[in-house]
Amino acid sequence: VQLQASGGGLVQAGGSLRLSCAASGHAFRSYTAGWFRQAPGKEREHVAHIRSSGDGPYYADALKGRFTISRDKNTMYLQMDNLKPEDTAVYFCAAQVLGVQYDRASSYSYWGPGTQVTVSS
């Protein structure tokens, strides 16, 4: 599975962005998939995911109400509203969880190269 995230950019605080993650191959449809982000000098952190069982979506507590994850066949989306400067990071899409620690980056097998999101104050 190959993943490619897009849709990042520069936006003012309070604005919105919609990220897309295009996946190759039919296997993606059967995988748990999610979004992570990494700010400079920080560890990669979980944003949201949707499980292969159809359960979810699940969000990082601090992002509930502002971010919305969805998926359709071979594409996954992240709608980000009311963006804040602290949302500035590189955003990655990931797929296929080994185990049940869905909020850990180390659980995911496939990663895309990431897309930069910068929120100005």
Side-chain angles (χ1 to χ4, degrees):
V1 173
Q2 292 184 322
L3 305 175
Q4 181 65 56
S6 61
L10 174 64
V11 63
Q12 289 187 332
S16 298
L17 283 174
R18 189 190 195 206
L19 305 184
S20 298
C21 176
S24 64
H26 295 292
F28 177 77
R29 305 178 189 185
S30 64
Y31 291 157
T32 291
W35 290 94
F36 286 75
R37 68 185 185 182
Q38 189 166 18
K42 295 188 177 181
E43 293 187 354
R44 194 166 296 189
E45 64 173 354
H46 172 258
V47 173
H49 71 272
I50 298 178
R51 297 180 188 176
S52 57
S53 62
D55 292 345
Y58 298 88
Y59 298 93
D61 288 341
L63 302 178
K64 289 179 182 177
R66 296 196 297 119
F67 287 20
T68 304
I69 186 174
S70 61
R71 64 190 300 180
D72 178 22
K73 296 181 180 179
N74 276 24
T75 306
M76 182 171 63
Y77 304 96
L78 185 69
Q79 176 68 39
M80 305 185 293
D81 298 316
N82 190 23
L83 283 162
K84 303 177 180 180
E86 52 264 42
D87 295 319
T88 295
V90 178
Y91 284 71
F92 299 88
C93 55
Q96 192 189 41
V97 170
L98 304 177
V100 295
Q101 294 177 313
Y102 299 99
D103 60 347
R104 292 196 176 185
S106 59
S107 297
Y108 289 75
S109 299
Y110 300 107
W111 291 86
T115 185
Q116 176 70 47
V117 172
T118 303
V119 184
S120 63
S121 57

